[in-house]
Every structure is written in structure tokens, then in C-alpha cells.
Amino acid sequence: MNKPHALRAALEAALPELRNNPDRLTMWTEDGQLATRPGELHFTLHYTLKLVVIEYGRGIESILLPLLDWVAVNEPPLLQNPEARADGLSFRSEIISHSAEDIEITLKLSERVKAVKDAAGGFAFEYLGEPEDPPGMF
């Protein structure tokens, strides 16, 4: 999967606290599903990405702004599609002191992957950009 790594890089680039303390950002996936058609060497991964930022002192808004900027390019249906907007991005926060909170953000993501057979009989994987066609194309 490519998007979790890309999102981490974007958040670390935008937020010095995470760049300087990368262990404060934990990410994992849940509820993964695979969509494909028989006989094709490409597929779509659908999954939920969880992010947890611990002991964060600047407020969730400072995380959400670069996150939304990343989503606009990498998962636009979360902003454009009313159904995806309804439950595609959620968060919760635990206030642990007057100056810090633990923040959990949940994103529903998808990635299109194309497998290309090489001369040796193995495969290389290419992550495709966001489709111009409506979601659910394959």
C-alpha cells in the first residue's frame, strides 16, 4: 500500500512536531477488502487507515489542515462525494492534560494497483492515480 506512507510523509513535512518525533504518529490499516475482475492483473484495495498522534499540543486543527490538503489530491471522493463525506473521515480526541491530547483519525481509503509481469516471470506493481471515472470502476 502506498497511501499510508505518502500521508505520513505529508504530515511530517507539514508538522515539525511529527517530523522531529516520528514515534508520536502511529498508523495501521483495518477492514481491508480487494476488488478485482477475473483474468485482470489490476485490482483496487479498499481499507480503513487509522492514525494516532500522541501527546499533541497544537490542537487537532493543525493536523486536519495538512490532512485535508493531502486528501484533496489523493482521495478526492472523501471531499466530493456526499456518501463518502458522511463517514469517510472521522476523529476522536482524548484530552490528557491542559496542553496535550491524543488524537485518533480514521480515513476510508482506496488504491488502484496494476501488476505488470516482467521477463523473469515475476511481477512489478504500479500504483495508479485517482481515476477520472466514477468510483467502483473495477
Side-chain angles (χ1 to χ4, degrees), residues 40-52:
E40 294 188 359
L41 293 179
H42 60 272
F43 49 90
T44 302
L45 302 171
H46 299 278
Y47 56 93
T48 301
L49 179 65
K50 298 272 190 170
L51 296 83
V52 173

Side-chain angles (χ1 to χ4, degrees), residues 11-105:
L11 291 174
E12 288 179 355
L15 302 167
E17 303 92 324
L18 298 182
R19 182 173 51 251
N20 297 334
N21 300 290
D23 291 344
R24 292 174 58 195
L25 172 60
T26 303
M27 303 170 79
W28 68 93
T29 63
E30 296 180 347
D31 304 321
Q33 297 179 340
L34 175 70
T36 189
R37 291 184 183 157
E40 294 188 359
L41 293 179
H42 60 272
F43 49 90
T44 302
L45 302 171
H46 299 278
Y47 56 93
T48 301
L49 179 65
K50 298 272 190 170
L51 296 83
V52 173
V53 180
I54 59 168
E55 299 176 5
Y56 193 71
R58 290 186 47 206
I60 192 169
E61 301 83 3
S62 64
I63 296 173
L64 290 176
L65 186 60
L67 182 124
L68 289 172
D69 191 40
W70 182 89
V71 165
V73 173
N74 295 281
E75 197 71 32
L78 289 182
L79 302 177
Q80 299 168 352
N81 180 312
E83 291 175 14
R85 272 197 319 258
D87 69 348
L89 194 158
S90 59
F91 66 89
R92 68 186 186 104
S93 172
E94 180 179 353
I95 300 167
I96 57 174
S97 72
H98 289 291
S99 60
E101 59 188 311
D102 292 344
I103 298 166
E104 179 182 281
I105 299 171

